[in-house]
């Protein structure tokens, strides 16, 4: 059964299939525009995740090939771009990757950075070579805009990795967005409402499941005080707050329910605000109809630990400018909005 036939079957009678609600299949959005935005030249085939260093250097993963979602360059290897947001007119520069790394099968997904006490920058990249899941560890060399590949991390618990947040130079939390990796089984998992998705802690000394029971754990990040881990459940339309303990285990604190499919989470290091790239209607993202483009939406959550967090829609587009937003990252009044397979937007707020 091909993807189109399967999705048509899945969409027959939303009242007969409550799981279609997980895709927000009937939702339409009103536009919310920002005045000072431009598409980023050179990024044409995705900008799925973005991580910005404290000094304003932004890393962007591009070229993701993900089951069920179209790719504008299916035969082109993925790339990592860099933007210096301190420049007056920042541009995206592709980072050169060191020899010995298999560039031909590079399929980057979620990313995270870690800066050690000596100022060394490590870049963790979720990779899907040949539709498998690995985590690639690189060292960033700013002098020549390059990434030196240090090692490839594989583990039986890292089965369908979506996003990652670095905890040290070789340790991290990662989300598995599905129990299965096959496209049809992934959708069957959603259709049946299975909550088999989880969060894994990885270090060279220990690898373990630290949180479970998600429909599809997606974006993950950490609070500025490093006490809480935030996890986006894309099909349950919410953000979970989990307390981090000394043994790296996580315990549930609260869940914030939203009305959109939440993807990657970025944290303002000064305010603690959570910025989210969202999919207002997931059916459009998977269906690939040129007459009904996947939309984009950016939310900001303020004071998530309070009894009444403030949720603000700061950007929304019907797909005419930006299709399938997956991340929104802020740095000193500059906003980058990335997408699963489309372009990227640079805005001055």
């Amino acid at each position: 059964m091909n993807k189109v036939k399967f999705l048509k079957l899945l969409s027959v009678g939303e009242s007969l299939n409550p799981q279609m609600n997980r895709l927000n299949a009937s939702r339409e959005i009103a536009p919310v525009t920002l005045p000072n935005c431009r598409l980023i030249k050179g990024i044409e085939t995705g900008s799925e995740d973005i991580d910005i260093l404290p000094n304003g250097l932004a890393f962007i993963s591009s070229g993701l090939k993900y089951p069920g979602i179209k790719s504008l360059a299916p035969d082109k290897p993925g790339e990592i771009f860099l933007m210096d947001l301190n420049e007056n007119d920042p541009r995206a520069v592709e980072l050169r990757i060191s020899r010995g790394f298999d560039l031909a099968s590079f399929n980057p997904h979620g990313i995270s950075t870690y800066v050690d006490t000596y100022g060394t920058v490590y870049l963790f990249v979720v990779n899907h070579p040949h539709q498998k899941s690995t985590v690639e560890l690189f060292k960033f060399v700013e002098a020549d805009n390059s990434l030196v590949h240090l090692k490839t991390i594989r583990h039986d618990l890292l089965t369908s990795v979506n996003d990652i947040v670095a905890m040290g130079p070789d340790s991290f939390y990662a989300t598995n967005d599905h129990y299965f990796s096959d496209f049809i089984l992934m959708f069957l998992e959603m259709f049946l409402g299975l909550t088999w998705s989880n969060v894994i802690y990885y270090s060279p000394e220990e690898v373990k499941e630290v949180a479970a029971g998600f429909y599809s754990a997606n974006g993950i990040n950490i609070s500025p005080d490093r006490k809480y881990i935030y996890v986006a459940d894309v099909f349950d339309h919410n953000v979970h707050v989990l307390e981090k303990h000394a043994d790296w285990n996580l315990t549930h604190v609260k869940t914030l329910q939203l009305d959109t499919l939440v993807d990657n989470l970025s944290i303002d290091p000064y305010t603690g605000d959570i910025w989210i790239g969202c999919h207002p209607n997931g059916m459009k993202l998977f269906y690939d109809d040129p007459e009904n483009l996947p939309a984009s939406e950016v939310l900001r959550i303020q004071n998530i630990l309070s009894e009444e967090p403030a949720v603000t829609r700061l950007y929304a587009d019907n797909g005419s400018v930006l299709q399938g937003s997956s991340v929104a990252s802020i740095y000193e009044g500059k906003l980058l909005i990335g997408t699963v397979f489309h372009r990227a937007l640079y805005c001055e707020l």
Side-chain angles (χ1 to χ4, degrees):
M1 184 184 300
N2 64 33
K3 182 182 77 169
V4 172
K5 288 181 178 178
F6 186 80
L7 286 170
K8 285 181 178 178
L9 177 64
L10 193 64
S11 62
V12 171
E14 190 167 327
S15 62
L16 300 178
N17 178 15
Q19 300 307 330
M20 283 300 293
N21 293 328
R22 302 204 181 281
L23 289 175
N24 263 7
S26 61
R27 185 177 179 224
E28 300 292 338
I29 60 168
V32 178
T33 59
L34 292 170
N36 301 304
C37 296
R38 62 171 174 83
L39 291 168
I40 300 172
K41 185 178 180 181
I43 298 181
E44 311 288 341
T45 60
S47 43
E48 202 281 337
D49 202 8
I50 300 170
D51 200 14
I52 305 176
L53 293 176
N55 64 4
L57 294 181
F59 295 86
I60 304 170
S61 68
S62 180
L64 174 66
K65 272 71 76 175
Y66 189 85
I69 297 178
K70 73 175 180 180
S71 169
L72 297 179
D75 299 321
K76 181 183 178 182
E79 303 162 289
I80 302 294
F81 288 94
L82 184 74
M83 289 184 72
D84 185 349
L85 299 182
N86 298 295
E87 296 177 353
N88 291 329
D89 187 21
R91 60 191 182 93
V93 177
E94 182 185 353
L95 292 178
R96 182 173 56 85
I97 297 179
S98 61
R99 293 180 179 179
F101 178 71
D102 182 9
L103 280 174
S105 66
F106 190 37
N107 187 9
H109 201 165
I111 61 175
S112 182
T113 55
Y114 181 82
V115 183
D116 70 13
T117 55
Y118 302 101
T120 302
V121 177
Y122 297 92
L123 178 68
F124 295 74
V125 181
V126 176
N127 186 22
H128 301 293
H130 314 294
Q131 298 305 320
K132 304 296 183 181
S133 284
T134 65
V135 174
E136 310 296 345
L137 180 58
F138 298 93
K139 182 176 71 172
F140 171 56
V141 182
E142 187 173 359
D144 60 357
N145 279 341
S146 69
L147 295 171
V148 176
H149 185 246
L150 301 179
K151 63 179 176 178
T152 296
I153 297 169
R154 299 181 180 89
H155 195 274
D156 289 344
L157 291 180
L158 300 171
T159 54
S160 181
V161 184
N162 185 298
D163 197 19
I164 188 170
V165 59
M167 291 291 105
D170 54 6
S171 61
F172 54 83
Y173 288 107
T175 56
N176 284 312
D177 55 14
H178 292 88
Y179 180 82
F180 298 107
S181 56
D182 175 80
F183 171 76
I184 298 298
L185 292 178
M186 285 165 54
F187 269 80
L188 185 63
E189 185 179 338
M190 184 201 71
F191 181 80
L192 296 175
L194 302 179
T195 54
W196 292 359
S197 176
N198 62 8
V199 177
I200 302 298
Y201 171 73
Y202 176 92
S203 74
E205 296 77 32
E206 182 180 31
V207 185
K208 60 183 178 179
E209 179 184 83
V210 291
F214 304 98
Y215 286 98
S216 184
N218 196 295
I220 187 169
N221 219 316
I222 189 169
S223 60
D225 61 11
R226 304 187 73 78
K227 293 181 179 180
Y228 300 97
I229 295 293
Y230 305 130
V231 176
D233 191 330
V234 62
F235 290 143
D236 211 18
H237 310 168
N238 56 34
V239 176
H240 297 268
V241 180
L242 307 170
E243 185 176 0
K244 180 172 69 71
H245 300 285
D247 61 1
W248 303 104
N249 286 326
L250 304 175
T251 55
H252 181 264
V253 175
K254 67 181 296 185
T255 300
L256 179 64
Q257 199 66 38
L258 301 165
D259 65 348
T260 188
L261 281 71
V262 288
D263 204 318
N264 288 312
L265 309 172
S266 298
I267 311 301
D268 185 320
Y270 301 107
T271 65
D273 296 350
I274 304 172
W275 291 72
I276 316 176
C278 306
H279 308 286
N281 184 322
M283 194 67 182
K284 294 182 180 182
L285 182 68
F286 287 106
Y287 208 90
D288 186 20
D289 180 357
E291 301 300 320
N292 203 8
L293 297 172
S296 294
E297 185 175 33
V298 171
L299 299 182
R300 181 183 64 191
I301 302 173
Q302 296 170 288
N303 303 313
I304 193 169
L305 290 171
S306 68
E307 292 186 5
E308 295 186 8
V311 180
T312 307
R313 294 175 73 233
L314 292 176
Y315 178 80
D317 178 72
N318 64 4
S320 60
V321 176
L322 206 63
Q323 300 174 29
S325 57
S326 56
V327 64
S329 294
I330 191 79
Y331 173 78
E332 294 186 357
K334 300 175 181 180
L335 175 66
L336 296 179
I337 306 174
T339 64
V340 179
F341 65 87
H342 195 228
R343 304 194 66 183
L345 202 64
Y346 167 80
C347 303
E348 294 182 357
L349 303 180

